[in-house]
Amino acid sequence: MPRFESKSVADLRVGDWAQFDGRWAEVLACATDPTGWTRVTLDRSPLPETVVHRTVDVPWSRTRPAGLT
Amino acid sequence: MVPDAAGGSDVRRPEDIRAFLAQHSDGRVIGRVPAMFGIAVTAAEAEFQRRLLSAGHSSGYLALLGLSATLTFDAGEYFHTAEDARRDQGEWHGYHRGLQTALACLIMHETGSNPRQAALQVAEHTETLIRCRWNTRPAVGGG
């Protein structure tokens, strides 16, 4: 089982891969408010989806994790 | 059989509805878009709305987009509680996801975009609207 680094959602960048709700997805956009809320747009199927999070750490990979179809 | 009290003569024309909204809600009516949900429309937001309308988006899309931005601001009120947080967060994410999907469907219908283009436009428009509103949003915790 590969282990992945973690990254704060506020530090995610476009092109990163991150795991939310147990699913990996590429980050298409990311914006953090002054209050600490971060909106992350993920390349999910069938539609890209924006999720909103407090600052938490999520599993992160600079490239597409191996084994994903 | 009891006749329908509303009957067929009570259908309001759009101008009547606008007057009704102006008279009975706290929101102002700006152009074709009623400023609902208790949000005062900033100059930046009004300009952004005008740009969306001139780009071919409907007033219905703008109204839903406004609700989506409002819901995003409400996230803190759903998420800060300790005990019921899990259920509340699930509820909130459901509302959020439903609105985002409805907005993407509207864009697909109104502009013929494909699903991916539509969803990305929704994300971009929501982000822009939120930034328009941050200018006048009171700081959390007063000050």
Side-chain angles (χ1 to χ4, degrees), chain B residues 75-116:
Chain B
E77 288 155 31
Y78 271 82
F79 284 24
H80 78 275
T81 53
E83 293 306 318
D84 294 331
R86 187 175 296 275
R87 197 203 67 187
D88 287 348
Q89 286 180 24
E91 260 183 44
W92 185 92
H93 276 299
Y95 296 143
H96 187 253
R97 181 174 296 171
L99 268 174
Q100 297 271 309
T101 305
L103 284 162
C105 289
L106 271 177
I107 286 191
M108 285 188 277
H109 176 70
E110 292 172 358
T111 68
S113 302
N114 67 38
R116 183 183 168 87

mmCIF file of all heavy atoms in Angstrom, chain B residues 75-116:
data_model
loop_
_atom_site.group_PDB
_atom_site.id
_atom_site.type_symbol
_atom_site.label_atom_id
_atom_site.label_comp_id
_atom_site.label_asym_id
_atom_site.label_seq_id
_atom_site.Cartn_x
_atom_site.Cartn_y
_atom_site.Cartn_z
ATOM 1 N N ALA B 75 -21.341 28.203 5.188
ATOM 2 C CA ALA B 75 -20.630 26.984 5.571
ATOM 3 C C ALA B 75 -20.150 27.049 7.013
ATOM 4 O O ALA B 75 -20.264 26.077 7.759
ATOM 5 C CB ALA B 75 -19.459 26.735 4.625
ATOM 6 N N GLY B 76 -19.647 28.190 7.424
ATOM 7 C CA GLY B 76 -19.115 28.329 8.776
ATOM 8 C C GLY B 76 -20.162 28.056 9.826
ATOM 9 O O GLY B 76 -19.887 27.451 10.863
ATOM 10 N N GLU B 77 -21.404 28.462 9.540
ATOM 11 C CA GLU B 77 -22.457 28.249 10.527
ATOM 12 C C GLU B 77 -22.849 26.778 10.607
ATOM 13 O O GLU B 77 -23.307 26.299 11.630
ATOM 14 C CB GLU B 77 -23.668 29.120 10.180
ATOM 15 C CG GLU B 77 -23.387 30.584 10.469
ATOM 16 C CD GLU B 77 -24.236 31.510 9.624
ATOM 17 O OE1 GLU B 77 -25.364 31.124 9.295
ATOM 18 O OE2 GLU B 77 -23.758 32.606 9.294
ATOM 19 N N TYR B 78 -22.689 26.070 9.522
ATOM 20 C CA TYR B 78 -22.993 24.639 9.558
ATOM 21 C C TYR B 78 -21.849 23.862 10.200
ATOM 22 O O TYR B 78 -22.069 22.866 10.845
ATOM 23 C CB TYR B 78 -23.189 24.097 8.137
ATOM 24 C CG TYR B 78 -24.609 24.191 7.647
ATOM 25 C CD1 TYR B 78 -25.103 25.365 7.122
ATOM 26 C CD2 TYR B 78 -25.454 23.099 7.728
ATOM 27 C CE1 TYR B 78 -26.404 25.459 6.674
ATOM 28 C CE2 TYR B 78 -26.754 23.174 7.282
ATOM 29 C CZ TYR B 78 -27.231 24.360 6.750
ATOM 30 O OH TYR B 78 -28.513 24.439 6.314
ATOM 31 N N PHE B 79 -20.627 24.311 10.004
ATOM 32 C CA PHE B 79 -19.482 23.461 10.317
ATOM 33 C C PHE B 79 -18.866 23.708 11.686
ATOM 34 O O PHE B 79 -18.099 22.905 12.140
ATOM 35 C CB PHE B 79 -18.381 23.676 9.267
ATOM 36 C CG PHE B 79 -18.654 23.015 7.937
ATOM 37 C CD1 PHE B 79 -19.929 22.716 7.528
ATOM 38 C CD2 PHE B 79 -17.608 22.685 7.094
ATOM 39 C CE1 PHE B 79 -20.182 22.121 6.314
ATOM 40 C CE2 PHE B 79 -17.851 22.088 5.872
ATOM 41 C CZ PHE B 79 -19.141 21.808 5.469
ATOM 42 N N HIS B 80 -19.204 24.841 12.314
ATOM 43 C CA HIS B 80 -18.430 25.145 13.524
ATOM 44 C C HIS B 80 -18.920 24.389 14.746
ATOM 45 O O HIS B 80 -18.223 24.283 15.744
ATOM 46 C CB HIS B 80 -18.430 26.653 13.792
ATOM 47 C CG HIS B 80 -19.699 27.160 14.409
ATOM 48 N ND1 HIS B 80 -20.790 27.502 13.659
ATOM 49 C CD2 HIS B 80 -20.049 27.363 15.699
ATOM 50 C CE1 HIS B 80 -21.762 27.903 14.452
ATOM 51 N NE2 HIS B 80 -21.342 27.816 15.694
ATOM 52 N N THR B 81 -20.152 23.855 14.693
ATOM 53 C CA THR B 81 -20.660 23.153 15.862
ATOM 54 C C THR B 81 -19.927 21.832 16.031
ATOM 55 O O THR B 81 -19.500 21.224 15.064
ATOM 56 C CB THR B 81 -22.164 22.881 15.714
ATOM 57 O OG1 THR B 81 -22.381 22.225 14.472
ATOM 58 C CG2 THR B 81 -22.951 24.167 15.758
ATOM 59 N N ALA B 82 -19.813 21.392 17.266
ATOM 60 C CA ALA B 82 -18.984 20.229 17.525
ATOM 61 C C ALA B 82 -19.743 18.909 17.343
ATOM 62 O O ALA B 82 -19.311 18.037 16.594
ATOM 63 C CB ALA B 82 -18.429 20.317 18.934
ATOM 64 N N GLU B 83 -20.886 18.767 18.002
ATOM 65 C CA GLU B 83 -21.505 17.446 18.112
ATOM 66 C C GLU B 83 -22.255 17.011 16.846
ATOM 67 O O GLU B 83 -22.090 15.901 16.375
ATOM 68 C CB GLU B 83 -22.461 17.429 19.313
ATOM 69 C CG GLU B 83 -21.745 17.547 20.633
ATOM 70 C CD GLU B 83 -20.652 16.487 20.789
ATOM 71 O OE1 GLU B 83 -20.895 15.316 20.426
ATOM 72 O OE2 GLU B 83 -19.552 16.837 21.242
ATOM 73 N N ASP B 84 -23.088 17.903 16.340
ATOM 74 C CA ASP B 84 -23.904 17.513 15.184
ATOM 75 C C ASP B 84 -23.195 17.802 13.874
ATOM 76 O O ASP B 84 -23.801 17.790 12.815
ATOM 77 C CB ASP B 84 -25.239 18.257 15.211
ATOM 78 C CG ASP B 84 -26.084 17.840 16.399
ATOM 79 O OD1 ASP B 84 -25.925 16.683 16.820
ATOM 80 O OD2 ASP B 84 -26.875 18.658 16.878
ATOM 81 N N ALA B 85 -21.886 18.051 13.976
ATOM 82 C CA ALA B 85 -21.164 18.539 12.801
ATOM 83 C C ALA B 85 -21.244 17.561 11.638
ATOM 84 O O ALA B 85 -21.439 17.978 10.501
ATOM 85 C CB ALA B 85 -19.707 18.808 13.157
ATOM 86 N N ARG B 86 -21.126 16.277 11.920
ATOM 87 C CA ARG B 86 -21.048 15.331 10.814
ATOM 88 C C ARG B 86 -22.321 15.335 9.978
ATOM 89 O O ARG B 86 -22.292 15.411 8.764
ATOM 90 C CB ARG B 86 -20.771 13.922 11.350
ATOM 91 C CG ARG B 86 -20.511 12.901 10.260
ATOM 92 C CD ARG B 86 -20.119 11.569 10.866
ATOM 93 N NE ARG B 86 -18.864 11.650 11.597
ATOM 94 C CZ ARG B 86 -17.674 11.536 11.028
ATOM 95 N NH1 ARG B 86 -17.596 11.355 9.729
ATOM 96 N NH2 ARG B 86 -16.578 11.619 11.730
ATOM 97 N N ARG B 87 -23.474 15.307 10.673
ATOM 98 C CA ARG B 87 -24.732 15.311 9.938
ATOM 99 C C ARG B 87 -24.913 16.644 9.209
ATOM 100 O O ARG B 87 -25.314 16.700 8.058
ATOM 101 C CB ARG B 87 -25.905 15.080 10.896
ATOM 102 C CG ARG B 87 -27.164 14.675 10.179
ATOM 103 C CD ARG B 87 -28.380 15.000 11.003
ATOM 104 N NE ARG B 87 -28.544 16.442 11.120
ATOM 105 C CZ ARG B 87 -29.445 17.012 11.896
ATOM 106 N NH1 ARG B 87 -30.221 16.278 12.650
ATOM 107 N NH2 ARG B 87 -29.567 18.318 11.932
ATOM 108 N N ASP B 88 -24.600 17.741 9.910
ATOM 109 C CA ASP B 88 -24.780 19.058 9.300
ATOM 110 C C ASP B 88 -23.883 19.227 8.081
ATOM 111 O O ASP B 88 -24.294 19.795 7.079
ATOM 112 C CB ASP B 88 -24.469 20.160 10.313
ATOM 113 C CG ASP B 88 -25.572 20.273 11.351
ATOM 114 O OD1 ASP B 88 -26.633 19.659 11.136
ATOM 115 O OD2 ASP B 88 -25.364 20.969 12.354
ATOM 116 N N GLN B 89 -22.662 18.737 8.183
ATOM 117 C CA GLN B 89 -21.756 18.860 7.040
ATOM 118 C C GLN B 89 -22.259 18.063 5.853
ATOM 119 O O GLN B 89 -22.195 18.500 4.721
ATOM 120 C CB GLN B 89 -20.355 18.385 7.425
ATOM 121 C CG GLN B 89 -19.625 19.360 8.316
ATOM 122 C CD GLN B 89 -18.238 18.863 8.677
ATOM 123 O OE1 GLN B 89 -17.654 18.056 7.959
ATOM 124 N NE2 GLN B 89 -17.704 19.341 9.783
ATOM 125 N N GLY B 90 -22.809 16.867 6.159
ATOM 126 C CA GLY B 90 -23.361 16.046 5.088
ATOM 127 C C GLY B 90 -24.521 16.761 4.413
ATOM 128 O O GLY B 90 -24.632 16.777 3.183
ATOM 129 N N GLU B 91 -25.381 17.359 5.219
ATOM 130 C CA GLU B 91 -26.504 18.125 4.674
ATOM 131 C C GLU B 91 -26.007 19.260 3.801
ATOM 132 O O GLU B 91 -26.460 19.466 2.683
ATOM 133 C CB GLU B 91 -27.312 18.741 5.825
ATOM 134 C CG GLU B 91 -28.566 18.001 6.186
ATOM 135 C CD GLU B 91 -29.310 18.758 7.277
ATOM 136 O OE1 GLU B 91 -29.437 19.998 7.193
ATOM 137 O OE2 GLU B 91 -29.748 18.099 8.213
ATOM 138 N N TRP B 92 -25.059 19.996 4.367
ATOM 139 C CA TRP B 92 -24.550 21.171 3.655
ATOM 140 C C TRP B 92 -23.929 20.766 2.322
ATOM 141 O O TRP B 92 -24.181 21.396 1.295
ATOM 142 C CB TRP B 92 -23.520 21.904 4.523
ATOM 143 C CG TRP B 92 -23.065 23.176 3.900
ATOM 144 C CD1 TRP B 92 -23.598 24.421 4.099
ATOM 145 C CD2 TRP B 92 -22.015 23.332 2.944
ATOM 146 N NE1 TRP B 92 -22.946 25.322 3.316
ATOM 147 C CE2 TRP B 92 -21.980 24.701 2.602
ATOM 148 C CE3 TRP B 92 -21.119 22.460 2.342
ATOM 149 C CZ2 TRP B 92 -21.057 25.209 1.693
ATOM 150 C CZ3 TRP B 92 -20.209 22.960 1.424
ATOM 151 C CH2 TRP B 92 -20.184 24.320 1.113
ATOM 152 N N HIS B 93 -23.124 19.714 2.337
ATOM 153 C CA HIS B 93 -22.486 19.281 1.086
ATOM 154 C C HIS B 93 -23.531 18.841 0.063
ATOM 155 O O HIS B 93 -23.354 19.051 -1.134
ATOM 156 C CB HIS B 93 -21.488 18.142 1.349
ATOM 157 C CG HIS B 93 -20.134 18.630 1.778
ATOM 158 N ND1 HIS B 93 -19.365 19.442 0.985
ATOM 159 C CD2 HIS B 93 -19.431 18.434 2.911
ATOM 160 C CE1 HIS B 93 -18.234 19.727 1.617
ATOM 161 N NE2 HIS B 93 -18.250 19.135 2.782
ATOM 162 N N GLY B 94 -24.631 18.270 0.555
ATOM 163 C CA GLY B 94 -25.702 17.871 -0.355
ATOM 164 C C GLY B 94 -26.328 19.079 -1.033
ATOM 165 O O GLY B 94 -26.544 19.083 -2.248
ATOM 166 N N TYR B 95 -26.639 20.122 -0.241
ATOM 167 C CA TYR B 95 -27.197 21.354 -0.819
ATOM 168 C C TYR B 95 -26.215 21.945 -1.842
ATOM 169 O O TYR B 95 -26.589 22.352 -2.940
ATOM 170 C CB TYR B 95 -27.439 22.412 0.259
ATOM 171 C CG TYR B 95 -28.459 22.047 1.298
ATOM 172 C CD1 TYR B 95 -28.284 22.424 2.624
ATOM 173 C CD2 TYR B 95 -29.608 21.343 0.957
ATOM 174 C CE1 TYR B 95 -29.211 22.099 3.582
ATOM 175 C CE2 TYR B 95 -30.544 21.011 1.924
ATOM 176 C CZ TYR B 95 -30.336 21.399 3.229
ATOM 177 O OH TYR B 95 -31.250 21.080 4.187
ATOM 178 N N HIS B 96 -24.959 22.009 -1.422
ATOM 179 C CA HIS B 96 -23.931 22.629 -2.256
ATOM 180 C C HIS B 96 -23.790 21.881 -3.574
ATOM 181 O O HIS B 96 -23.788 22.481 -4.652
ATOM 182 C CB HIS B 96 -22.611 22.639 -1.480
ATOM 183 C CG HIS B 96 -21.510 23.384 -2.148
ATOM 184 N ND1 HIS B 96 -20.449 22.754 -2.737
ATOM 185 C CD2 HIS B 96 -21.321 24.704 -2.337
ATOM 186 C CE1 HIS B 96 -19.643 23.664 -3.258
ATOM 187 N NE2 HIS B 96 -20.147 24.844 -3.028
ATOM 188 N N ARG B 97 -23.697 20.562 -3.496
ATOM 189 C CA ARG B 97 -23.526 19.747 -4.692
ATOM 190 C C ARG B 97 -24.739 19.875 -5.614
ATOM 191 O O ARG B 97 -24.603 19.992 -6.835
ATOM 192 C CB ARG B 97 -23.313 18.283 -4.273
ATOM 193 C CG ARG B 97 -23.104 17.354 -5.445
ATOM 194 C CD ARG B 97 -22.751 15.972 -4.944
ATOM 195 N NE ARG B 97 -21.483 15.963 -4.233
ATOM 196 C CZ ARG B 97 -21.028 14.935 -3.548
ATOM 197 N NH1 ARG B 97 -21.751 13.849 -3.455
ATOM 198 N NH2 ARG B 97 -19.862 14.990 -2.951
ATOM 199 N N GLY B 98 -25.935 19.886 -5.017
ATOM 200 C CA GLY B 98 -27.147 20.011 -5.818
ATOM 201 C C GLY B 98 -27.194 21.330 -6.570
ATOM 202 O O GLY B 98 -27.549 21.386 -7.753
ATOM 203 N N LEU B 99 -26.829 22.407 -5.874
ATOM 204 C CA LEU B 99 -26.839 23.714 -6.524
ATOM 205 C C LEU B 99 -25.801 23.802 -7.636
ATOM 206 O O LEU B 99 -26.080 24.328 -8.719
ATOM 207 C CB LEU B 99 -26.544 24.816 -5.492
ATOM 208 C CG LEU B 99 -27.758 25.445 -4.832
ATOM 209 C CD1 LEU B 99 -27.309 26.407 -3.749
ATOM 210 C CD2 LEU B 99 -28.596 26.180 -5.873
ATOM 211 N N GLN B 100 -24.605 23.291 -7.362
ATOM 212 C CA GLN B 100 -23.561 23.343 -8.377
ATOM 213 C C GLN B 100 -23.984 22.574 -9.632
ATOM 214 O O GLN B 100 -23.753 23.011 -10.760
ATOM 215 C CB GLN B 100 -22.261 22.752 -7.829
ATOM 216 C CG GLN B 100 -21.674 23.506 -6.646
ATOM 217 C CD GLN B 100 -20.741 24.611 -7.080
ATOM 218 O OE1 GLN B 100 -19.840 24.377 -7.867
ATOM 219 N NE2 GLN B 100 -20.955 25.801 -6.580
ATOM 220 N N THR B 101 -24.631 21.426 -9.411
ATOM 221 C CA THR B 101 -25.071 20.620 -10.553
ATOM 222 C C THR B 101 -26.190 21.322 -11.313
ATOM 223 O O THR B 101 -26.202 21.346 -12.550
ATOM 224 C CB THR B 101 -25.547 19.237 -10.068
ATOM 225 O OG1 THR B 101 -24.491 18.641 -9.310
ATOM 226 C CG2 THR B 101 -25.883 18.325 -11.234
ATOM 227 N N ALA B 102 -27.131 21.932 -10.572
ATOM 228 C CA ALA B 102 -28.228 22.652 -11.236
ATOM 229 C C ALA B 102 -27.671 23.801 -12.080
ATOM 230 O O ALA B 102 -28.124 24.039 -13.212
ATOM 231 C CB ALA B 102 -29.197 23.183 -10.187
ATOM 232 N N LEU B 103 -26.675 24.499 -11.531
ATOM 233 C CA LEU B 103 -26.072 25.611 -12.273
ATOM 234 C C LEU B 103 -25.385 25.116 -13.540
ATOM 235 O O LEU B 103 -25.507 25.724 -14.610
ATOM 236 C CB LEU B 103 -25.061 26.346 -11.376
ATOM 237 C CG LEU B 103 -25.687 27.263 -10.322
ATOM 238 C CD1 LEU B 103 -24.675 27.578 -9.230
ATOM 239 C CD2 LEU B 103 -26.192 28.541 -10.953
ATOM 240 N N ALA B 104 -24.677 23.998 -13.428
ATOM 241 C CA ALA B 104 -24.001 23.449 -14.609
ATOM 242 C C ALA B 104 -25.033 23.036 -15.668
ATOM 243 O O ALA B 104 -24.836 23.264 -16.866
ATOM 244 C CB ALA B 104 -23.132 22.255 -14.209
ATOM 245 N N CYS B 105 -26.147 22.450 -15.220
ATOM 246 C CA CYS B 105 -27.197 22.056 -16.174
ATOM 247 C C CYS B 105 -27.759 23.286 -16.879
ATOM 248 O O CYS B 105 -28.034 23.250 -18.087
ATOM 249 C CB CYS B 105 -28.314 21.305 -15.452
ATOM 250 S SG CYS B 105 -27.831 19.660 -14.914
ATOM 251 N N LEU B 106 -27.951 24.383 -16.130
ATOM 252 C CA LEU B 106 -28.464 25.606 -16.746
ATOM 253 C C LEU B 106 -27.505 26.119 -17.816
ATOM 254 O O LEU B 106 -27.922 26.517 -18.904
ATOM 255 C CB LEU B 106 -28.673 26.696 -15.685
ATOM 256 C CG LEU B 106 -30.039 26.732 -15.007
ATOM 257 C CD1 LEU B 106 -30.061 27.804 -13.931
ATOM 258 C CD2 LEU B 106 -31.133 26.996 -16.033
ATOM 259 N N ILE B 107 -26.217 26.116 -17.495
ATOM 260 C CA ILE B 107 -25.230 26.591 -18.475
ATOM 261 C C ILE B 107 -25.255 25.712 -19.717
ATOM 262 O O ILE B 107 -25.230 26.203 -20.851
ATOM 263 C CB ILE B 107 -23.818 26.627 -17.861
ATOM 264 C CG1 ILE B 107 -23.717 27.796 -16.894
ATOM 265 C CG2 ILE B 107 -22.750 26.755 -18.951
ATOM 266 C CD1 ILE B 107 -22.320 28.094 -16.423
ATOM 267 N N MET B 108 -25.319 24.399 -19.515
ATOM 268 C CA MET B 108 -25.363 23.502 -20.672
ATOM 269 C C MET B 108 -26.578 23.810 -21.534
ATOM 270 O O MET B 108 -26.502 23.844 -22.761
ATOM 271 C CB MET B 108 -25.394 22.040 -20.208
ATOM 272 C CG MET B 108 -24.064 21.539 -19.700
ATOM 273 S SD MET B 108 -24.081 19.768 -19.375
ATOM 274 C CE MET B 108 -24.779 19.714 -17.759
ATOM 275 N N HIS B 109 -27.723 24.049 -20.875
ATOM 276 C CA HIS B 109 -28.954 24.324 -21.606
ATOM 277 C C HIS B 109 -28.886 25.685 -22.313
ATOM 278 O O HIS B 109 -29.319 25.827 -23.454
ATOM 279 C CB HIS B 109 -30.131 24.306 -20.629
ATOM 280 C CG HIS B 109 -31.441 24.665 -21.247
ATOM 281 N ND1 HIS B 109 -32.089 23.835 -22.137
ATOM 282 C CD2 HIS B 109 -32.221 25.766 -21.123
ATOM 283 C CE1 HIS B 109 -33.209 24.410 -22.529
ATOM 284 N NE2 HIS B 109 -33.314 25.577 -21.934
ATOM 285 N N GLU B 110 -28.331 26.678 -21.619
ATOM 286 C CA GLU B 110 -28.388 28.040 -22.156
ATOM 287 C C GLU B 110 -27.286 28.343 -23.171
ATOM 288 O O GLU B 110 -27.452 29.200 -24.033
ATOM 289 C CB GLU B 110 -28.301 29.055 -20.999
ATOM 290 C CG GLU B 110 -29.537 29.029 -20.107
ATOM 291 C CD GLU B 110 -29.388 29.880 -18.855
ATOM 292 O OE1 GLU B 110 -28.301 30.471 -18.645
ATOM 293 O OE2 GLU B 110 -30.357 29.945 -18.082
ATOM 294 N N THR B 111 -26.150 27.664 -23.037
ATOM 295 C CA THR B 111 -25.033 28.016 -23.920
ATOM 296 C C THR B 111 -24.555 26.844 -24.767
ATOM 297 O O THR B 111 -23.698 27.034 -25.625
ATOM 298 C CB THR B 111 -23.823 28.528 -23.099
ATOM 299 O OG1 THR B 111 -23.289 27.440 -22.343
ATOM 300 C CG2 THR B 111 -24.224 29.656 -22.159
ATOM 301 N N GLY B 112 -25.072 25.655 -24.525
ATOM 302 C CA GLY B 112 -24.643 24.494 -25.304
ATOM 303 C C GLY B 112 -23.259 23.992 -24.919
ATOM 304 O O GLY B 112 -22.652 23.218 -25.666
ATOM 305 N N SER B 113 -22.753 24.417 -23.757
ATOM 306 C CA SER B 113 -21.437 23.944 -23.304
ATOM 307 C C SER B 113 -21.506 22.460 -22.965
ATOM 308 O O SER B 113 -22.578 21.936 -22.644
ATOM 309 C CB SER B 113 -20.995 24.707 -22.057
ATOM 310 O OG SER B 113 -20.931 26.076 -22.298
ATOM 311 N N ASN B 114 -20.338 21.803 -22.983
ATOM 312 C CA ASN B 114 -20.323 20.418 -22.525
ATOM 313 C C ASN B 114 -20.247 20.396 -20.993
ATOM 314 O O ASN B 114 -20.002 21.429 -20.363
ATOM 315 C CB ASN B 114 -19.182 19.632 -23.197
ATOM 316 C CG ASN B 114 -17.808 20.118 -22.756
ATOM 317 O OD1 ASN B 114 -17.608 20.454 -21.594
ATOM 318 N ND2 ASN B 114 -16.865 20.151 -23.676
ATOM 319 N N PRO B 115 -20.496 19.245 -20.374
ATOM 320 C CA PRO B 115 -20.575 19.194 -18.912
ATOM 321 C C PRO B 115 -19.330 19.732 -18.206
ATOM 322 O O PRO B 115 -19.431 20.443 -17.204
ATOM 323 C CB PRO B 115 -20.776 17.700 -18.628
ATOM 324 C CG PRO B 115 -21.455 17.176 -19.848
ATOM 325 C CD PRO B 115 -20.870 17.952 -20.988
ATOM 326 N N ARG B 116 -18.160 19.400 -18.741
ATOM 327 C CA ARG B 116 -16.929 19.850 -18.087
ATOM 328 C C ARG B 116 -16.775 21.369 -18.175
ATOM 329 O O ARG B 116 -16.470 22.031 -17.177
ATOM 330 C CB ARG B 116 -15.724 19.157 -18.736
ATOM 331 C CG ARG B 116 -14.410 19.508 -18.083
ATOM 332 C CD ARG B 116 -13.249 18.841 -18.835
ATOM 333 N NE ARG B 116 -11.984 19.394 -18.408
ATOM 334 C CZ ARG B 116 -11.292 18.948 -17.375
ATOM 335 N NH1 ARG B 116 -11.750 17.947 -16.681
ATOM 336 N NH2 ARG B 116 -10.141 19.503 -17.051
#
